[in-house]
Amino acid sequence: MSVPKADQRLLQRHAPELRYHVLEPYRADSCAELTDSFVRGGYSNELRSRDPDRVIARSAPTPGTPRLSLALLAAAAGKQYYPGGPKASKTDYLAAHEGTLVQDAQRLHALPAYGNVTYARVVDGTAGRRWLQYWLFYLDNPFHVGPIGRHQGDWEMVQIAVDAHDRPLWVTYAQHERGARRDWGDVTVVDSTHPVVYVAKGSHASYFDAGTHPRSDIPLGLGKDHTSDGLAPVRPAPRFLDPDVDTWLRWPGAWGATKNLIDHSPAGPAMQKERWERPEEFHAKAVDAVVQVGLEAEAAVVAGPPTPEVAAALAGDALRVDYAFPAVAEGATDPVRVEVAIHGVAGPPSVGRFDVAALRGSVLLARPLGDGPYRVELAAYNAEDDEALAVPIDVAGPASAASPGAPQGGGPAGGVAVAVAAAVTASVPGAAPPQPADAVRVVVHAPRSGPAAVRELHHAVAALAGGPWTVGPLFGPPDRSARELARFQLVSGPAPDVAGTDTPAATFALAQALASLGPAWTVEPDVPSSVSVPDPEEDGAALEDDLPPVAWALKACRLPEAWRLTQGAGVVIGQPDTGYTDHPELIGALDTLRDLDVLTGAADAHAVLRGFPPAAFPSHGTCTASVLASREPGQITGAAPLATVVPIRTAPTVIHVRNAELAIAVNYARTIGCHVISISMGGVLYPGSLRAAIRRAVADGVIVLAAAGQPLPLVVEPASYPECIAVGGTTSAGEPWLLSARGEEVAVSAPAKKVWVAATGNHPSPDQYHVAAHSGTSFAVALVAGSAALWLAHHGQDVLIKRFGAAGLQGAFRWAVRHTATVPPGWDTRHHGAGILNAEALLQLKLADIPVGKPARPSAPRTDTAAWTLARAAALAPGTVDAAARVAATLGEDDAVIAAHGPELLYRMAEHADVRAEVLAPAAGAAAARDSAALEEAPALVTGHPRLAALASPGLRAALSGE
């Protein structure tokens, strides 16, 4: 079954709005935070059993131990057995890593696949009524009074009764072991439809009002729930529960490792029988919250602690918070502890709980993600757990802070800093804000991180004509493990409505205008690239009955022989592409719980099937995923049949790819723990943010590979980056594919011409899901990436990292795959790599034979130099007489001009055959036209560069005219 559209709209219409306490460290997020969390080279969450005590699965799998995921729980719930393992039991439990729960929750909350989630369903009631249920998951419940209260994992629930006409009647909020109820008319609602939920600090119980709420389950009145209204409200996105799909709901174990005489971690939603199966009964037993409020007011007879004054200052990677209580007045109570929260520009805060030994004191607390500004919240508590909230204060970030020894407080951090914070908060965590397809965008790399650099960029953007312009961090909230990525900002605005000016020309013009920031800044255009076209037309294309056998590519790489050693179980491959379709050949191969659509920020990477090749290739991601990991038996088998692929929709079609989305996708794959990243897309002029994301991933131990490209001869980006492993293409005859890119950047080659894939038509039909033979280096890189997964599974990533180091893993694999490749007679190793992939020899190679510490590849030249421009021109047209000289002559032989405008010229030459012929052929051009015929038939040549000038930005146009 599937959730009806009418029910989805109803659940969205009434999704609750959450108001968190200012000291709350956790957020209602995906329950996959508990199954997926690990730190590479550090710790891992686990699925364990108490009877007998054993580890069943790990978030970061080790040899012989499967990967923990919701999909694993779903398999156990549906069949009552883990794949290839024991029967699921109530004694099984999910164990989070203790000591880092807040940090893990913050790290995953910042990722779109995890942050701000509510699980929504509709349950039939009586008398025509229906119940809308919203289940909320929190990674931990830190509330405690002594040994009472605290437990890993926390499921909460809010439900709304609607009549036969979908009009709200009643509301029930879960509170500990009971519930509280109100009539709809007595509930605070937003936009007339969304009920407001005040989330209690620590316990996450749901309340109808802000304030202090005594708890009947804590003896002697020592425990109270506190709610407040000091943070911006959050409305988590509903994920519609389908019992036929979300079978993890029937997993019988505990969502957390806590089990003692007093407290234990909760069962999942469907295991909480009364709330799940009998919502009307749960509502009837709930306490009338209107009466409850009056009782609470009568019970509040003890005066709270005094309210302290607060100051704060930066202290390295921490903030020092000073507090001072006034003398305790008669009738008041002594403070016994303070709790402190430091909020950054996005996401949950850093929190701390400290005993009070004197009326004055100082505490240190780690800064949250990001470079500020920060807001400091502090509350004092007495022995009866009454609360006194101090006035919040703001502290500037490190780049603009005063002396660390001088506490600051009182007012905001300044108008500009507040504006910057607002812009950052408005961005989608982990993804650039959605933009129109024709938006003008540039990626700016600041010479330093922090608010001061962002303010400088804002001032420069404010002085630009046109717009309106927006500025935000390209990679979302900063990641402490990848601080260098925080220096990339995305500047975007509407494309100008000027006749004869296309979006790339306007983008180059914007980049030139921002050159006023100075030479320390890098400003690079984010333009769509369409040069790497799959299935290009070929001379002498094979007839249908001449197609090679379905498994030819696998046999050519000796993959069936490699499968005798391993099939890649436990390895996760990140796949930036056009998304996926529900093709039967992909059943079991995809991780659809961590998939992401970078274009929209949605946690759903389904392809949008529109258009026809060659104008669009939206099912390209399905094709490449099938080459990576389709299961046996099937018409198609992937290179690593038991590996898992995380699809990341990065482009609407593989021939319209921007740098920004691909950079975000690579970084997302790194942050969710992918072991391999397979990039079957590329283009020309992908600037530094993508290379930085790949460099960070490689440093963290991820193997990153990319297709060399076709039909142009130059190796496209990102395959041409030194940090990336470039893969070229071959034919079923074991020869280099005529249309494959070639060059010294290519590490190895693999089958690319007429590789059998799982294909999907763009329009419904009886054969919409089918298999076909497609061509492209996209499939060559998928074969090598799948072999990388086999290599990791065979040796074990922990073993490999111990020997080569995380940062050395990419270089070790590059060396191994090159030195085990099959070298046919007459093979050109300079242009087509070391040979053809041999997966069997790759896995049989002893680790002791792979050198340790060997550099991955020599560093590539900077992309803003004349030498780089001329080298790329020569690679773009290797058969053309003096291609580099033609480009230099076009720009006037001046190195500064070539460096400034050469990238735009190369982009236009790569994108437009007529511009390429115009630049590469002299006015009298017969000889040059003959030389360029290997690329495409050149049109009639004309004197000068009229076609280029018509497309050029004002800066390039001036360079062409010699101004």
Side-chain angles (χ1 to χ4, degrees), residues 468-546:
W469 305 105
T470 60
V471 181
L474 177 62
F475 294 102
D479 178 354
R480 285 187 185 274
S481 68
R483 291 180 180 271
E484 68 275 18
L485 300 184
R487 293 163 58 187
F488 289 96
Q489 299 283 321
L490 184 68
V491 179
S492 59
D497 186 14
V498 179
T501 302
D502 63 3
T503 298
T507 304
F508 282 105
L510 174 60
Q512 292 159 11
L514 284 175
S516 60
L517 284 165
W521 295 71
T522 303
V523 183
E524 299 172 307
D526 183 23
V527 288
S529 185
S530 60
V531 302
S532 189
V533 181
D535 282 333
E537 295 183 3
E538 306 173 36
D539 292 332
L543 299 175
E544 196 68 24
D545 56 358
D546 291 332

Side-chain angles (χ1 to χ4, degrees), residues 40-370:
R40 192 182 303 278
Y43 53 84
S44 173
N45 287 0
E46 296 177 337
L47 168 62
R48 302 185 64 95
S49 173
R50 300 186 193 277
D51 185 21
D53 185 14
R54 65 181 183 275
V55 175
I56 300 172
R58 303 178 78 246
S59 304
T62 54
T65 304
R67 187 178 73 84
L68 174 58
S69 68
L70 289 184
L72 185 79
L73 303 187
K79 302 175 182 177
Q80 290 302 303
Y81 286 88
Y82 302 109
K87 185 176 180 179
S89 167
K90 289 183 179 180
T91 63
D92 298 343
Y93 62 97
L94 296 169
H97 181 261
E98 279 291 345
T100 60
L101 287 164
V102 172
Q103 296 91 325
D104 293 342
Q106 289 182 342
R107 172 170 49 83
L108 293 172
H109 175 85
L111 303 176
Y114 298 94
N116 295 325
V117 172
T118 179
Y119 294 93
R121 66 190 292 253
V122 178
V123 188
D124 290 334
T126 61
R129 290 186 294 267
R130 297 195 300 166
W131 293 86
L132 315 182
Q133 286 194 337
Y134 302 89
W135 291 82
L136 306 166
F137 178 79
Y138 301 86
L139 186 60
D140 188 44
N141 179 330
F143 174 93
H144 67 94
V145 175
I148 302 174
R150 193 262 157 177
H151 55 81
Q152 281 188 5
D154 192 12
W155 281 104
E156 302 292 339
M157 193 268 287
V158 170
Q159 65 179 24
I160 304 168
V162 298
D163 64 16
H165 302 286
D166 291 339
R167 292 173 298 201
L169 300 172
W170 314 307
V171 181
T172 326
Y173 288 177
Q175 295 172 358
H176 312 297
E177 299 303 319
R178 62 176 187 174
R181 67 173 186 261
R182 278 188 183 178
D183 293 341
W184 179 259
D186 294 326
V187 177
T188 302
V189 296
V190 176
D191 298 332
S192 302
T193 61
H194 302 281
V196 173
V197 178
Y198 291 92
V199 180
K201 175 175 67 70
S203 74
H204 311 128
S206 301
Y207 288 91
F208 292 101
D209 305 288
T212 296
H213 309 272
R215 288 182 55 168
S216 59
D217 59 328
I218 303 294
L220 304 177
L222 296 179
K224 298 179 174 70
D225 274 336
H226 299 286
T227 59
S228 71
D229 202 8
L231 297 180
V234 176
R235 192 176 302 163
R239 291 191 184 173
F240 308 111
L241 291 175
D242 183 338
D244 290 341
V245 176
D246 301 304
T247 54
W248 56 265
L249 290 163
R250 299 195 292 273
W251 178 68
W255 290 79
T258 306
K259 185 175 177 61
N260 53 49
L261 293 176
I262 301 175
D263 291 294
H264 55 83
S265 295
M271 298 295 106
Q272 300 182 30
K273 295 298 185 179
E274 182 180 66
R275 300 183 187 191
W276 183 262
E277 297 177 355
R278 303 183 295 278
E280 288 188 341
E281 186 176 328
F282 177 66
H283 176 79
K285 292 180 180 179
V287 177
D288 191 321
V290 175
V291 176
Q292 183 185 23
V293 170
L295 294 175
E296 288 176 2
E298 294 176 7
V301 295
V302 178
T307 301
E309 294 183 356
V310 180
L314 291 170
D317 284 337
L319 262 77
R320 191 184 80 235
V321 180
D322 302 326
Y323 59 86
F325 290 95
V328 180
E330 184 176 352
T333 53
D334 291 331
V336 297
R337 77 175 191 276
V338 295
E339 296 185 19
V340 183
I342 301 173
H343 295 263
V345 296
S350 293
V351 295
R353 177 170 168 152
F354 309 93
D355 292 335
V356 171
L359 294 181
R360 291 179 177 270
S362 298
V363 298
L364 283 177
L365 199 61
R367 303 201 314 259
L369 297 177

